[in-house]
Amino acid sequence: MDAAVVHCTEGIGIWQWASNDQGGEPDVIMACCGDTPTLEILAAVSILRQHLPDLKIRVINVVDLMKLQPKSEHPHGLSDTDYDSLFTKDKHIIFASTDIHGWFTG
């Protein structure tokens, strides 16, 4: 429960327990926001591991969508360095969410 409180307070984070990149460079980022998209991402990760066991997957869960805004645009936003430490600079990102209407750029 303590880890969940910390995660929700931070608003975004890597789910180490669902990832298999062991803190190294992932091949792909699977990110999610919302209860149903999170379940779908976890199911997709399970299927990918079954069929592509060497694929390094990083799972990122977003609680506060404003974390995806630049720090200069919103007080909850991430710095470029923090964003890159989560999402990397050059990896593909699959993002599942219920209700994003194109309000942010990135």
Side-chain angles (χ1 to χ4, degrees):
M1 186 60 122
D2 292 340
V5 170
V6 169
H7 174 68
C8 289
T9 301
E10 291 178 1
I12 192 169
I14 298 170
W15 278 1
Q16 297 295 345
W17 61 269
S19 303
N20 68 349
D21 62 334
Q22 276 71 31
E25 280 291 306
D27 296 314
V28 66
I29 310 291
M30 304 286 284
C32 50
C33 182
D35 56 349
T36 301
T38 297
L39 292 173
E40 294 293 334
I41 284 291
L42 293 175
V45 167
S46 177
I47 292 167
L48 286 169
R49 282 204 191 125
Q50 193 174 34
H51 294 281
L52 299 166
D54 294 331
L55 186 69
K56 299 293 183 220
I57 304 167
R58 177 177 295 170
V59 178
I60 298 175
N61 180 261
V62 180
V63 177
D64 179 357
L65 280 174
M66 292 299 128
K67 287 290 191 180
L68 300 176
Q69 288 278 28
K71 187 88 172 154
S72 61
E73 300 289 325
H74 194 278
H76 295 186
L78 295 171
S79 68
D80 289 346
T81 302
D82 289 341
Y83 183 91
D84 291 344
S85 72
L86 291 169
F87 291 99
T88 76
K89 290 184 178 187
D90 61 352
K91 303 302 182 209
H92 292 285
I93 302 166
I94 298 169
F95 194 97
S97 181
T98 53
D99 243 355
I100 296 179
H101 296 288
W103 51 261
F104 68 90
T105 59

XYZ file of all heavy atoms in Angstrom:
820
model
N 0.816 -1.185 0.000
C 0.000 0.000 0.000
C 0.869 1.262 0.000
O 0.525 2.240 -0.651
C -0.929 -0.036 1.208
C -1.920 1.081 1.214
S -2.982 1.089 -0.221
C -4.549 0.974 0.542
N 1.989 1.223 0.712
C 2.873 2.391 0.753
C 3.384 2.750 -0.636
O 3.461 3.924 -0.995
C 4.051 2.141 1.698
C 3.621 2.055 3.154
O 2.522 2.557 3.481
O 4.378 1.484 3.960
N 3.729 1.741 -1.429
C 4.225 1.985 -2.785
C 3.134 2.626 -3.652
O 3.422 3.506 -4.471
C 4.717 0.690 -3.414
N 1.892 2.205 -3.470
C 0.779 2.778 -4.237
C 0.562 4.246 -3.873
O 0.307 5.081 -4.750
C -0.496 1.976 -3.996
N 0.680 4.557 -2.606
C 0.524 5.950 -2.159
C 1.626 6.815 -2.774
O 1.362 7.905 -3.284
C 0.525 6.043 -0.621
C 0.616 7.491 -0.159
C -0.716 5.370 -0.044
N 2.856 6.325 -2.763
C 3.972 7.065 -3.351
C 3.737 7.260 -4.844
O 3.892 8.361 -5.385
C 5.323 6.352 -3.087
C 6.443 6.961 -3.917
C 5.667 6.392 -1.613
N 3.337 6.198 -5.537
C 3.095 6.273 -6.981
C 2.008 7.298 -7.299
O 2.178 8.143 -8.186
C 2.716 4.892 -7.526
C 2.326 4.921 -8.968
N 3.225 5.196 -9.975
C 1.135 4.719 -9.574
C 2.597 5.160 -11.143
N 1.332 4.878 -10.921
N 0.908 7.245 -6.588
C -0.196 8.188 -6.834
C 0.215 9.621 -6.508
O -0.190 10.557 -7.202
C -1.433 7.776 -6.046
S -2.209 6.281 -6.701
N 1.011 9.799 -5.490
C 1.495 11.132 -5.123
C 2.420 11.687 -6.201
O 2.334 12.866 -6.556
C 2.223 11.088 -3.762
O 1.314 10.600 -2.776
C 2.724 12.456 -3.358
N 3.280 10.841 -6.749
C 4.195 11.273 -7.810
C 3.455 11.509 -9.129
O 3.894 12.294 -9.952
C 5.321 10.266 -7.992
C 6.271 10.251 -6.807
C 7.369 9.213 -6.942
O 7.417 8.497 -7.956
O 8.178 9.130 -6.002
N 2.373 10.790 -9.349
C 1.551 10.998 -10.533
C 1.967 10.234 -11.771
O 1.237 10.172 -12.753
N 3.140 9.637 -11.758
C 3.657 8.880 -12.900
C 4.821 8.026 -12.410
O 5.508 8.410 -11.459
C 4.129 9.811 -14.033
C 4.385 9.040 -15.326
C 5.319 10.641 -13.611
C 4.600 9.943 -16.535
N 5.025 6.883 -13.032
C 6.175 6.090 -12.643
C 6.287 4.793 -13.425
O 5.334 4.334 -14.055
N 7.484 4.246 -13.393
C 7.747 2.944 -14.010
C 7.264 1.873 -13.049
O 7.581 1.914 -11.865
C 9.253 2.764 -14.278
C 9.748 3.820 -15.268
C 9.547 1.351 -14.785
C 11.254 3.883 -15.409
N 6.484 0.948 -13.557
C 6.073 -0.196 -12.747
C 7.128 -1.287 -12.944
O 7.072 -2.061 -13.905
C 4.694 -0.678 -13.160
C 3.579 0.121 -12.544
C 3.685 1.190 -11.707
C 2.185 -0.121 -12.714
N 2.446 1.634 -11.344
C 1.508 0.853 -11.942
C 1.445 -1.050 -13.433
C 0.125 0.910 -11.872
C 0.071 -0.988 -13.370
C -0.595 -0.026 -12.590
N 8.103 -1.321 -12.033
C 9.184 -2.300 -12.118
C 8.646 -3.727 -12.112
O 9.173 -4.593 -12.815
C 10.182 -2.096 -10.970
C 10.893 -0.761 -10.979
C 11.811 -0.562 -12.172
O 12.164 -1.482 -12.886
N 12.192 0.685 -12.380
N 7.614 -3.966 -11.314
C 7.056 -5.313 -11.196
C 6.427 -5.792 -12.502
O 6.308 -6.994 -12.728
C 6.042 -5.397 -10.054
C 4.854 -4.481 -10.230
C 4.721 -3.194 -9.783
C 3.637 -4.795 -10.912
N 3.506 -2.690 -10.144
C 2.813 -3.651 -10.833
C 3.161 -5.922 -11.575
C 1.535 -3.599 -11.406
C 1.893 -5.881 -12.136
C 1.096 -4.733 -12.044
N 6.040 -4.869 -13.382
C 5.426 -5.244 -14.659
C 6.413 -5.126 -15.815
O 6.115 -5.576 -16.918
C 4.200 -4.378 -14.922
N 7.556 -4.516 -15.565
C 8.573 -4.306 -16.596
C 9.609 -5.419 -16.544
O 9.756 -6.088 -15.525
C 9.281 -2.961 -16.353
O 8.366 -1.896 -16.338
N 10.323 -5.587 -17.650
C 11.414 -6.559 -17.634
C 12.708 -5.965 -18.200
O 13.592 -6.697 -18.618
C 11.036 -7.850 -18.371
C 10.886 -7.657 -19.870
O 10.856 -6.539 -20.363
N 10.780 -8.755 -20.589
N 12.814 -4.641 -18.174
C 14.049 -4.019 -18.645
C 15.080 -3.873 -17.528
O 16.192 -3.431 -17.766
C 13.778 -2.663 -19.308
C 13.169 -1.638 -18.375
O 12.513 -2.018 -17.395
O 13.338 -0.430 -18.649
N 14.726 -4.251 -16.310
C 15.626 -4.244 -15.155
C 16.416 -2.944 -15.045
O 17.602 -2.949 -14.749
C 16.605 -5.429 -15.189
C 16.079 -6.721 -14.621
C 15.028 -7.364 -15.502
O 15.057 -7.232 -16.706
N 14.099 -8.068 -14.895
N 15.762 -1.831 -15.309
C 16.426 -0.546 -15.189
C 17.349 -0.208 -16.335
O 17.963 0.853 -16.346
N 17.461 -1.105 -17.322
C 18.304 -0.846 -18.491
C 17.499 -0.183 -19.590
O 16.427 0.366 -19.355
N 18.023 -0.244 -20.790
C 17.331 0.334 -21.941
C 16.227 -0.619 -22.422
O 16.513 -1.768 -22.763
C 18.312 0.588 -23.086
C 19.112 1.848 -22.916
C 18.257 3.096 -23.058
O 17.553 3.257 -24.070
O 18.306 3.927 -22.133
N 14.996 -0.147 -22.480
C 13.930 -0.991 -23.006
C 13.931 -0.975 -24.536
O 14.529 -0.092 -25.154
C 12.668 -0.303 -22.469
C 13.045 1.143 -22.402
C 14.504 1.152 -22.015
N 13.262 -1.947 -25.125
C 13.029 -1.941 -26.567
C 11.771 -1.152 -26.901
O 11.664 -0.576 -27.979
C 12.880 -3.374 -27.093
C 14.150 -4.180 -26.914
O 15.237 -3.655 -27.242
O 14.062 -5.326 -26.437
N 10.821 -1.165 -25.984
C 9.537 -0.498 -26.200
C 8.995 -0.029 -24.851
O 9.269 -0.650 -23.820
C 8.533 -1.430 -26.915
C 8.154 -2.619 -26.052
C 7.287 -0.679 -27.367
N 8.243 1.062 -24.890
C 7.570 1.581 -23.700
C 6.087 1.302 -23.859
O 5.488 1.639 -24.880
C 7.749 3.125 -23.568
C 9.192 3.552 -23.708
C 7.085 3.630 -22.300
C 10.092 3.165 -22.606
N 5.488 0.682 -22.858
C 4.048 0.461 -22.812
C 3.525 1.323 -21.660
O 3.841 1.062 -20.499
C 3.730 -1.009 -22.559
C 4.333 -1.972 -23.556
S 3.521 -1.973 -25.149
C 2.043 -2.883 -24.778
N 2.786 2.369 -21.997
C 2.318 3.307 -20.985
C 0.794 3.313 -20.943
O 0.136 3.002 -21.942
C 2.843 4.706 -21.283
N 0.255 3.685 -19.779
C -1.194 3.644 -19.630
C -1.676 4.646 -18.593
O -0.924 5.055 -17.709
C -1.651 2.242 -19.241
S -0.734 1.539 -17.850
N -2.945 5.006 -18.750
C -3.615 5.892 -17.803
C -5.078 5.471 -17.760
O -5.737 5.391 -18.794
C -3.475 7.331 -18.263
S -4.219 8.509 -17.127
N -5.579 5.185 -16.577
C -6.963 4.748 -16.438
C -7.045 3.269 -16.142
O -6.150 2.504 -16.485
N -8.132 2.852 -15.504
C -8.234 1.469 -15.052
C -8.292 0.457 -16.197
O -7.512 -0.492 -16.228
C -9.407 1.286 -14.082
C -10.746 1.720 -14.650
O -10.787 2.366 -15.717
O -11.769 1.418 -14.013
N -9.170 0.647 -17.161
C -9.298 -0.319 -18.253
C -8.064 -0.313 -19.158
O -7.538 -1.394 -19.468
C -10.585 -0.073 -19.058
O -11.708 -0.192 -18.159
C -10.733 -1.062 -20.193
N -7.554 0.847 -19.577
C -6.325 0.828 -20.377
C -5.148 0.177 -19.654
O -4.328 -0.485 -20.285
C -6.052 2.309 -20.652
C -7.387 2.954 -20.555
C -8.117 2.208 -19.483
N -5.072 0.350 -18.337
C -3.998 -0.285 -17.578
C -4.117 -1.801 -17.647
O -3.120 -2.504 -17.874
C -4.000 0.209 -16.118
O -3.746 1.620 -16.124
C -2.949 -0.499 -15.287
N -5.314 -2.313 -17.488
C -5.520 -3.764 -17.605
C -5.173 -4.247 -19.006
O -4.580 -5.326 -19.170
C -6.962 -4.128 -17.255
C -7.365 -3.927 -15.801
C -8.862 -4.172 -15.627
C -6.560 -4.835 -14.880
N -5.522 -3.474 -20.021
C -5.217 -3.849 -21.408
C -3.710 -3.857 -21.664
O -3.194 -4.752 -22.328
C -5.920 -2.904 -22.387
C -7.433 -3.015 -22.354
C -7.949 -4.346 -22.855
O -7.263 -5.009 -23.666
O -9.054 -4.732 -22.444
N -3.003 -2.861 -21.148
C -1.546 -2.821 -21.313
C -0.906 -4.018 -20.616
O -0.011 -4.674 -21.171
C -0.961 -1.491 -20.797
C -1.240 -0.371 -21.790
C 0.544 -1.606 -20.498
C -0.486 -0.455 -23.116
N -1.351 -4.324 -19.409
C -0.787 -5.475 -18.688
C -1.058 -6.779 -19.435
O -0.192 -7.655 -19.487
C -1.332 -5.524 -17.262
C -0.880 -4.373 -16.353
C -1.586 -4.452 -15.009
C 0.632 -4.364 -16.176
N -2.237 -6.906 -20.031
C -2.540 -8.098 -20.834
C -1.641 -8.154 -22.068
O -1.115 -9.218 -22.417
C -4.014 -8.101 -21.239
N -1.450 -7.008 -22.724
C -0.587 -6.963 -23.908
C 0.853 -7.318 -23.551
O 1.515 -8.060 -24.285
C -0.651 -5.570 -24.537
N 1.331 -6.813 -22.421
C 2.691 -7.135 -21.973
C 2.828 -8.635 -21.737
O 3.821 -9.250 -22.124
C 3.051 -6.326 -20.708
C 4.315 -6.865 -20.052
C 3.212 -4.854 -21.045
N 1.828 -9.235 -21.154
C 1.844 -10.678 -20.905
C 1.935 -11.461 -22.220
O 2.720 -12.403 -22.340
C 0.594 -11.078 -20.119
O 0.555 -12.461 -19.920
N 1.160 -11.046 -23.203
C 1.173 -11.716 -24.509
C 2.522 -11.507 -25.202
O 3.093 -12.444 -25.768
C 0.011 -11.200 -25.387
C -1.322 -11.663 -24.796
C 0.171 -11.662 -26.834
C -2.543 -10.975 -25.389
N 3.044 -10.278 -25.151
C 4.340 -10.006 -25.771
C 5.445 -10.839 -25.133
O 6.303 -11.382 -25.839
C 4.678 -8.517 -25.667
C 3.897 -7.595 -26.596
C 4.115 -6.138 -26.220
C 4.295 -7.851 -28.048
N 5.420 -10.958 -23.824
C 6.454 -11.768 -23.143
C 6.368 -13.232 -23.554
O 7.381 -13.913 -23.653
C 6.290 -11.641 -21.634
C 6.845 -10.370 -21.126
C 7.216 -10.492 -19.663
N 7.498 -9.181 -19.160
C 6.919 -8.647 -18.116
N 6.006 -9.311 -17.443
N 7.239 -7.444 -17.730
N 5.156 -13.690 -23.766
C 4.948 -15.088 -24.156
C 5.512 -15.352 -25.554
O 6.137 -16.383 -25.796
C 3.449 -15.390 -24.118
C 3.074 -16.823 -24.197
C 1.571 -16.978 -23.994
O 0.773 -16.138 -24.386
N 1.201 -18.076 -23.366
N 5.289 -14.405 -26.461
C 5.686 -14.615 -27.854
C 7.038 -14.013 -28.218
O 7.659 -14.440 -29.196
C 4.603 -14.062 -28.794
C 3.320 -14.819 -28.694
N 3.111 -16.032 -29.304
C 2.177 -14.549 -28.013
C 1.898 -16.480 -29.028
N 1.313 -15.590 -28.242
N 7.485 -13.011 -27.457
C 8.769 -12.354 -27.712
C 9.520 -12.208 -26.386
O 9.671 -11.106 -25.858
C 8.554 -10.974 -28.344
C 7.832 -10.951 -29.690
C 7.379 -9.540 -30.032
C 8.736 -11.508 -30.777
N 9.990 -13.326 -25.836
C 10.575 -13.285 -24.490
C 11.825 -12.421 -24.353
O 12.150 -11.985 -23.251
C 10.894 -14.753 -24.196
C 10.921 -15.434 -25.515
C 10.009 -14.668 -26.415
N 12.504 -12.126 -25.450
C 13.711 -11.292 -25.380
C 13.413 -9.796 -25.488
O 14.314 -8.975 -25.304
C 14.700 -11.691 -26.474
C 15.244 -13.091 -26.262
O 15.324 -13.527 -25.090
O 15.573 -13.753 -27.259
N 12.179 -9.441 -25.782
C 11.793 -8.041 -25.904
C 11.807 -7.381 -24.526
O 11.163 -7.849 -23.597
C 10.388 -7.930 -26.520
C 9.896 -6.525 -26.841
C 10.693 -5.927 -28.006
C 8.412 -6.555 -27.178
N 12.561 -6.306 -24.390
C 12.655 -5.568 -23.127
C 11.546 -4.517 -23.093
O 11.539 -3.586 -23.908
C 14.015 -4.897 -22.977
C 15.164 -5.882 -22.965
C 15.116 -6.752 -21.726
C 16.295 -7.677 -21.684
N 15.982 -8.987 -21.237
N 10.623 -4.668 -22.149
C 9.447 -3.815 -22.057
C 9.493 -3.011 -20.766
O 9.721 -3.565 -19.689
C 8.157 -4.661 -22.076
C 8.111 -5.536 -23.327
C 6.928 -3.766 -21.985
C 7.043 -6.609 -23.279
N 9.250 -1.696 -20.900
C 9.105 -0.836 -19.724
C 7.635 -0.417 -19.636
O 7.083 0.114 -20.594
C 9.980 0.405 -19.843
C 9.793 1.358 -18.670
C 10.716 2.546 -18.757
N 12.099 2.082 -18.626
C 13.147 2.851 -18.856
N 12.999 4.109 -19.238
N 14.364 2.361 -18.705
N 7.019 -0.661 -18.486
C 5.626 -0.282 -18.267
C 5.601 0.979 -17.409
O 6.166 1.013 -16.320
C 4.830 -1.416 -17.586
C 3.393 -0.981 -17.313
C 4.859 -2.677 -18.451
N 4.936 2.005 -17.943
C 4.791 3.272 -17.224
C 3.311 3.513 -16.987
O 2.505 3.437 -17.915
C 5.398 4.444 -18.024
C 6.901 4.224 -18.209
C 5.101 5.778 -17.335
C 7.573 5.256 -19.071
N 2.973 3.803 -15.732
C 1.591 4.125 -15.385
C 1.511 5.610 -15.054
O 2.342 6.132 -14.320
C 1.109 3.285 -14.204
C -0.323 3.608 -13.849
O -0.573 4.358 -12.919
N -1.254 3.052 -14.598
N 0.498 6.255 -15.624
C 0.281 7.687 -15.416
C -1.001 7.871 -14.624
O -2.063 7.409 -15.028
C 0.184 8.434 -16.769
C -0.029 9.917 -16.551
C 1.412 8.177 -17.622
N -0.892 8.529 -13.485
C -2.051 8.852 -12.657
C -2.503 10.282 -12.946
O -3.686 10.566 -13.004
C -1.715 8.681 -11.154
C -2.888 9.083 -10.282
C -1.295 7.241 -10.861
N -1.543 11.168 -13.146
C -1.806 12.585 -13.387
C -1.386 12.914 -14.819
O -0.195 13.038 -15.113
C -1.009 13.418 -12.372
C -1.175 14.913 -12.534
O -1.879 15.357 -13.474
O -0.581 15.649 -11.723
N -2.360 13.060 -15.730
C -2.030 13.338 -17.131
C -1.244 14.629 -17.317
O -0.504 14.776 -18.288
C -3.310 13.398 -17.975
C -3.890 12.058 -18.393
C -5.220 12.257 -19.101
C -2.930 11.300 -19.282
N -1.378 15.549 -16.389
C -0.628 16.801 -16.502
C 0.876 16.579 -16.374
O 1.671 17.435 -16.761
C -1.095 17.808 -15.457
C -2.502 18.306 -15.680
S -2.644 19.142 -17.272
C -4.043 18.300 -17.962
N 1.287 15.418 -15.878
C 2.712 15.075 -15.831
C 3.303 15.002 -17.230
O 4.508 15.153 -17.416
C 2.928 13.737 -15.118
C 2.725 13.807 -13.629
C 3.838 14.595 -13.011
C 3.862 14.485 -11.518
N 4.958 15.250 -10.939
N 2.462 14.772 -18.231
C 2.944 14.644 -19.600
C 3.179 15.996 -20.269
O 3.764 16.056 -21.343
C 1.968 13.803 -20.422
C 1.762 12.380 -19.896
C 0.714 11.660 -20.718
C 3.065 11.608 -19.869
N 2.713 17.055 -19.651
C 2.968 18.406 -20.147
C 4.389 18.813 -19.765
O 4.912 18.356 -18.744
C 1.994 19.401 -19.511
C 0.590 19.277 -20.010
C 0.400 20.004 -21.334
O 1.323 20.158 -22.125
N -0.804 20.437 -21.572
N 5.006 19.682 -20.549
C 6.305 20.213 -20.116
C 6.142 21.025 -18.827
O 5.105 21.651 -18.609
C 6.721 21.125 -21.279
C 5.890 20.699 -22.435
C 4.619 20.150 -21.870
N 7.158 21.023 -18.019
C 7.151 21.786 -16.757
C 6.853 23.264 -17.027
O 6.202 23.921 -16.226
C 8.509 21.623 -16.058
C 8.577 22.212 -14.696
C 8.112 21.201 -13.695
C 8.350 21.678 -12.281
N 7.408 21.039 -11.386
N 7.290 23.763 -18.163
C 7.055 25.166 -18.514
C 5.590 25.453 -18.837
O 5.161 26.602 -18.811
C 7.929 25.564 -19.704
O 7.597 24.771 -20.832
N 4.817 24.409 -19.126
C 3.412 24.574 -19.493
C 2.447 24.304 -18.346
O 1.311 24.779 -18.377
C 3.065 23.628 -20.661
C 3.870 23.862 -21.911
C 3.495 25.151 -22.604
O 2.311 25.520 -22.583
O 4.409 25.793 -23.153
N 2.867 23.501 -17.386
C 1.979 23.141 -16.266
C 2.833 22.836 -15.038
O 3.873 22.186 -15.155
C 1.123 21.922 -16.632
C -0.018 21.704 -15.708
N 0.135 21.061 -14.501
C -1.324 22.050 -15.793
C -1.036 21.012 -13.880
N -1.934 21.606 -14.645
N 2.377 23.252 -13.852
C 3.186 23.022 -12.646
C 3.407 21.545 -12.310
O 4.375 21.207 -11.642
C 2.410 23.733 -11.532
C 1.066 24.019 -12.089
C 1.185 24.037 -13.571
N 2.543 20.653 -12.780
C 2.731 19.219 -12.538
C 3.641 18.581 -13.583
O 4.033 17.433 -13.442
C 1.391 18.479 -12.560
C 0.466 18.876 -11.474
N -0.726 18.221 -11.273
C 0.512 19.834 -10.522
C -1.356 18.773 -10.256
N -0.618 19.756 -9.782
N 3.928 19.311 -14.660
C 4.676 18.759 -15.781
C 6.071 18.295 -15.415
O 6.656 18.728 -14.421
N 6.592 17.405 -16.242
C 7.939 16.876 -16.057
C 8.964 17.753 -16.759
O 8.679 18.340 -17.809
C 8.038 15.461 -16.636
C 7.203 14.373 -15.982
C 7.258 13.107 -16.812
C 7.684 14.110 -14.564
N 10.150 17.799 -16.208
C 11.265 18.423 -16.924
C 11.624 17.501 -18.098
O 11.253 16.321 -18.113
C 12.471 18.582 -16.004
O 12.999 17.300 -15.667
N 12.347 18.036 -19.067
C 12.778 17.203 -20.197
C 13.611 16.021 -19.715
O 13.460 14.900 -20.214
C 13.582 18.029 -21.198
C 12.726 19.023 -21.969
O 11.480 18.909 -21.932
O 13.313 19.919 -22.605
N 14.463 16.264 -18.743
C 15.320 15.203 -18.206
C 14.491 14.108 -17.554
O 14.734 12.913 -17.782
C 16.322 15.786 -17.185
O 17.095 16.794 -17.830
C 17.240 14.713 -16.633
N 13.499 14.497 -16.748
C 12.649 13.498 -16.090
C 11.819 12.722 -17.107
O 11.654 11.506 -16.987
C 11.736 14.165 -15.055
C 12.494 14.650 -13.833
O 13.632 14.177 -13.603
O 11.952 15.506 -13.112
N 11.294 13.427 -18.109
C 10.521 12.760 -19.160
C 11.392 11.727 -19.878
O 10.985 10.570 -20.060
C 9.973 13.784 -20.154
C 9.117 13.161 -21.223
C 7.748 13.036 -21.053
C 9.686 12.679 -22.402
C 6.954 12.440 -22.035
C 8.913 12.094 -23.385
C 7.548 11.977 -23.196
O 6.788 11.368 -24.173
N 12.589 12.147 -20.274
C 13.493 11.246 -21.000
C 13.929 10.062 -20.148
O 14.140 8.965 -20.670
C 14.720 11.999 -21.500
C 14.381 12.989 -22.606
O 13.286 12.901 -23.199
O 15.235 13.873 -22.864
N 14.045 10.254 -18.832
C 14.443 9.134 -17.965
C 13.338 8.087 -17.883
O 13.613 6.907 -17.682
C 14.830 9.627 -16.570
O 13.691 10.041 -15.854
N 12.108 8.502 -18.070
C 10.990 7.551 -18.081
C 10.780 6.963 -19.474
O 10.765 5.746 -19.656
C 9.694 8.236 -17.634
C 9.588 8.652 -16.183
C 8.361 9.546 -15.980
C 9.501 7.440 -15.287
N 10.596 7.837 -20.456
C 10.172 7.417 -21.788
C 11.330 7.223 -22.774
O 11.099 6.730 -23.876
C 9.181 8.429 -22.362
C 7.860 8.438 -21.644
C 7.577 9.391 -20.685
C 6.894 7.479 -21.918
C 6.368 9.402 -20.025
C 5.676 7.475 -21.263
C 5.416 8.447 -20.305
N 12.525 7.578 -22.397
C 13.727 7.562 -23.240
C 13.601 8.624 -24.341
O 12.566 9.273 -24.465
C 14.057 6.187 -23.857
O 13.183 5.920 -24.951
C 13.989 5.086 -22.822
N 14.653 8.770 -25.119
C 14.640 9.742 -26.213
C 14.326 9.103 -27.560
O 13.990 9.799 -28.508
C 15.999 10.445 -26.308
C 16.285 11.383 -25.181
C 17.598 12.105 -25.424
C 17.850 13.093 -24.304
N 19.016 13.927 -24.575
N 14.457 7.763 -27.637
C 14.408 7.157 -28.966
C 13.640 5.835 -29.048
O 13.762 5.132 -30.045
C 15.830 6.950 -29.469
C 16.644 6.027 -28.570
O 16.177 5.665 -27.478
O 17.765 5.656 -28.977
N 12.855 5.511 -28.049
C 12.117 4.242 -28.085
C 10.655 4.488 -28.469
O 10.091 5.544 -28.206
C 12.170 3.536 -26.726
C 13.566 3.262 -26.226
C 14.372 2.428 -27.196
C 15.744 2.151 -26.606
N 16.759 1.975 -27.583
N 10.070 3.484 -29.082
C 8.651 3.564 -29.429
C 7.813 3.501 -28.159
O 8.128 2.766 -27.227
C 8.257 2.415 -30.361
C 8.887 2.527 -31.708
N 8.471 3.428 -32.651
C 9.920 1.856 -32.256
C 9.205 3.314 -33.729
N 10.099 2.356 -33.521
N 6.728 4.291 -28.156
C 5.832 4.355 -27.007
C 4.438 3.964 -27.469
O 3.904 4.540 -28.418
C 5.784 5.775 -26.399
C 7.177 6.222 -25.975
C 4.794 5.831 -25.243
C 7.279 7.710 -25.676
N 3.865 2.996 -26.784
C 2.459 2.643 -26.983
C 1.737 3.140 -25.745
O 2.039 2.717 -24.633
C 2.287 1.123 -27.170
C 3.049 0.686 -28.412
C 0.813 0.761 -27.235
C 3.187 -0.799 -28.565
N 0.805 4.079 -25.946
C 0.119 4.712 -24.821
C -1.363 4.409 -24.906
O -2.019 4.720 -25.896
C 0.341 6.229 -24.842
C -0.048 6.895 -23.557
C 0.906 7.189 -22.597
C -1.367 7.205 -23.293
C 0.549 7.784 -21.395
C -1.737 7.800 -22.099
C -0.780 8.092 -21.152
N -1.895 3.795 -23.854
C -3.323 3.481 -23.788
C -3.980 4.372 -22.741
O -3.525 4.450 -21.607
C -3.518 2.010 -23.423
N -5.043 5.055 -23.154
C -5.790 5.921 -22.246
C -7.234 5.974 -22.701
O -7.532 5.721 -23.867
C -5.187 7.320 -22.227
O -5.894 8.147 -21.327
N -8.099 6.342 -21.800
C -9.518 6.372 -22.132
C -9.965 7.655 -22.790
O -10.808 7.640 -23.643
C -10.383 6.151 -20.871
O -9.988 7.083 -19.877
C -10.240 4.761 -20.357
N -9.398 8.787 -22.425
C -9.982 10.047 -22.860
C -8.968 11.148 -23.097
O -8.991 12.167 -22.431
C -10.976 10.524 -21.801
C -12.387 10.596 -22.338
O -12.556 10.378 -23.539
O -13.297 10.873 -21.556
N -8.096 10.970 -24.048
C -7.185 12.055 -24.404
C -7.716 12.658 -25.697
O -7.906 11.973 -26.684
C -5.737 11.555 -24.593
C -5.199 11.026 -23.276
C -4.863 12.673 -25.123
C -3.785 10.491 -23.368
N -7.962 13.946 -25.677
C -8.558 14.620 -26.825
C -7.585 15.556 -27.526
O -7.965 16.612 -27.999
C -9.803 15.395 -26.374
C -10.882 14.529 -25.868
N -11.646 13.721 -26.689
C -11.309 14.283 -24.596
C -12.517 13.051 -25.962
N -12.331 13.374 -24.694
N -6.327 15.198 -27.549
C -5.355 15.985 -28.270
C -4.999 17.311 -27.633
O -4.580 18.235 -28.303
N -5.138 17.413 -26.342
C -4.872 18.677 -25.656
C -3.407 18.918 -25.371
O -3.025 19.977 -24.966
C -5.674 18.786 -24.363
C -5.551 17.602 -23.467
C -6.436 16.581 -23.350
C -4.480 17.288 -22.584
N -5.977 15.649 -22.462
C -4.769 16.056 -21.969
C -3.278 17.909 -22.241
C -3.932 15.451 -21.047
C -2.445 17.293 -21.312
C -2.786 16.086 -20.735
N -2.552 17.937 -25.558
C -1.132 18.178 -25.335
C -0.346 17.780 -26.580
O -0.817 17.036 -27.412
C -0.608 17.455 -24.087
C -0.578 15.962 -24.193
C 0.551 15.323 -24.668
C -1.661 15.191 -23.811
C 0.599 13.940 -24.763
C -1.616 13.813 -23.889
C -0.493 13.194 -24.378
N 0.838 18.326 -26.680
C 1.702 17.995 -27.806
C 2.932 17.299 -27.264
O 3.305 17.475 -26.115
C 2.132 19.265 -28.561
O 2.807 20.124 -27.660
C 0.947 19.978 -29.173
N 3.544 16.496 -28.064
C 4.741 15.833 -27.573
C 5.312 14.861 -28.524
O 4.855 14.428 -29.472
